[in-house]
Amino acid sequence: MGHQYVLSPGEYPDYQYWLGINNAIRSCRIVRHVGNSWRMKIWEKPNFEGESVELSDNMPTLHERWQSRDIQSCKVFEGAWIFYEHPNYRGRQYLLERGEYRRYSEWGGRQPNVGSVRRLKN
């Protein structure tokens, strides 16, 4: 729950290096399903309805392939992904692992805005 930060291997002298809002970490976990292939499908409406598009690569600006700023639901078939609130991998981060997300709240989103999408690699 709360703000999510996906950290790659490296050194982080303080919370500002991972763009944190303060120095408190309440919980952490290992990311599962990081692999060699990535595939997900996004929808414009909840419950996998409306227009959709399948992704298999990073999208620094989601608008290049998607007509809206909103992703209401998605299915992750392979790999792990990170949704970013703004283009160019900025803003709040949301980790999505293999599974179905019928509404944006199921991946921890406060609203359905997604500006960029990145595959999570080892």
Side-chain angles (χ1 to χ4, degrees):
M1 294 181 65
H3 294 275
Q4 298 178 28
Y5 305 100
V6 179
L7 304 178
S8 301
E11 294 184 20
Y12 300 89
D14 66 48
Y15 65 92
Q16 294 171 338
Y17 283 82
W18 70 71
L19 302 176
I21 59 169
N22 61 37
N23 64 354
I25 297 176
R26 303 280 190 249
S27 62
C28 62
R29 68 180 179 89
I30 294 174
V31 178
R32 304 186 193 300
H33 308 297
V34 177
N36 297 334
S37 60
W38 297 265
R39 192 168 63 93
M40 76 179 316
K41 193 169 188 177
I42 59 175
W43 280 266
E44 69 174 339
K45 295 182 181 178
N47 296 311
F48 318 118
E49 296 179 3
E51 294 288 322
S52 67
V53 67
E54 191 165 303
L55 303 175
S56 59
D57 208 352
N58 294 337
M59 295 292 304
T61 305
L62 187 62
H63 301 299
E64 292 173 359
R65 288 197 52 201
W66 190 243
Q67 72 278 5
S68 172
R69 264 194 64 89
D70 295 349
I71 296 176
Q72 296 281 345
S73 55
C74 76
K75 290 183 183 180
V76 176
F77 302 110
E78 296 179 78
W81 297 77
I82 306 167
F83 282 171
Y84 292 84
E85 183 179 29
H86 302 294
N88 298 312
Y89 314 118
R90 294 185 351 261
R92 293 181 190 266
Q93 301 175 19
Y94 303 100
L95 173 66
L96 290 93
E97 295 183 274
R98 200 174 302 155
E100 296 185 352
Y101 302 85
R102 295 185 170 278
R103 322 190 137 55
Y104 62 87
S105 59
E106 291 181 2
W107 65 71
R110 292 183 179 178
Q111 53 191 351
N113 293 358
V114 177
S116 50
V117 178
R118 178 179 278 170
R119 303 174 302 177
L120 187 59
K121 296 183 177 184
N122 288 343

